[in-house]
Amino acid sequence: MNETLVTVVGNVATTPVYRELPSGPVARFRLAVTARYYDGAKSTWTDGHTNFFTVWAWRALGTNVQGSVSVGEPVIVQGRLKVRDEERGGQHWTSADIEAVAIGHDLSRGTAAFRRVGRGNPALTEPAQTQAQEKGRNQGQGDDVSGLWEKKPEPVG
């Protein structure tokens, strides 16, 4: 079967919606992809047209997206492009979906901290804020080595 594989770079436009279905977990979110070009007449970079895609992440990828991706973050998505035509309420709609194979943060625009997850332990995919709250509640319980590799800010002046 011939499939159209695409790699798109854009910003997460909606909060990922996570669902547990009989076929397995799935997360979906909208991705905004804006082309930029250099306008020689104005000597500036200009935004072009913005395309919106619905990104579908199934199984472990969906579980990890739920704990890792937030609105406004720059991401790179690779997957199978699916263009759908349908009639809704007498109107014709065309939508472009991407069934994701891989999703990651765009490190040319920021940093990220990768956390490997063990199978069957969804607590490991909790957002960092939730983990920090738990850390504060469980102070003094066990060995806390989370801050050993964090770079401390340098004094200014």
Side-chain angles (χ1 to χ4, degrees), residues 110-152:
T111 62
F114 180 78
R115 294 183 310 270
R116 187 173 303 278
V117 294
R119 293 183 185 246
N121 191 351
L124 294 176
T125 61
E126 290 178 358
Q129 183 180 14
T130 304
Q131 290 178 357
Q133 291 168 347
E134 284 296 319
K135 181 179 154 187
R137 276 194 291 235
N138 297 330
Q139 210 62 352
Q141 297 178 6
D143 296 331
D144 181 14
V145 295
S146 61
L148 291 179
W149 292 278
E150 294 176 7
K151 185 176 179 182
K152 303 295 184 207

Side-chain angles (χ1 to χ4, degrees), residues 52-76:
F52 287 89
F53 298 92
T54 300
V55 177
W56 295 89
W58 292 89
R59 296 171 288 287
L61 180 59
T63 303
N64 293 340
V65 162
Q66 178 245 353
S68 304
V69 175
S70 300
V71 172
E73 293 180 343
V75 294
I76 301 171

Side-chain angles (χ1 to χ4, degrees), residues 5-141:
L5 295 176
V6 295
T7 302
V8 292
V9 179
N11 291 317
V12 177
T14 61
T15 301
V17 176
Y18 179 79
R19 298 279 186 262
E20 290 280 346
L21 301 176
S23 58
V26 63
R28 78 171 154 77
F29 62 91
R30 299 279 286 163
L31 182 69
V33 179
T34 304
R36 289 182 55 85
Y37 62 93
Y38 186 75
D39 185 344
K42 296 179 184 175
S43 298
T44 61
W45 284 93
T46 304
D47 286 342
H49 178 74
T50 300
N51 291 303
F52 287 89
F53 298 92
T54 300
V55 177
W56 295 89
W58 292 89
R59 296 171 288 287
L61 180 59
T63 303
N64 293 340
V65 162
Q66 178 245 353
S68 304
V69 175
S70 300
V71 172
E73 293 180 343
V75 294
I76 301 171
V77 176
Q78 183 177 38
R80 290 177 287 282
L81 179 65
K82 311 273 184 179
V83 178
R84 296 183 300 140
D85 286 319
E86 56 188 85
E87 290 285 329
R88 280 192 239 153
Q91 292 185 340
H92 180 80
W93 292 86
T94 301
S95 63
D97 295 357
I98 299 174
E99 193 173 300
V101 174
I103 299 171
H105 287 98
D106 182 355
L107 297 181
S108 69
R109 297 173 52 199
T111 62
F114 180 78
R115 294 183 310 270
R116 187 173 303 278
V117 294
R119 293 183 185 246
N121 191 351
L124 294 176
T125 61
E126 290 178 358
Q129 183 180 14
T130 304
Q131 290 178 357
Q133 291 168 347
E134 284 296 319
K135 181 179 154 187
R137 276 194 291 235
N138 297 330
Q139 210 62 352
Q141 297 178 6

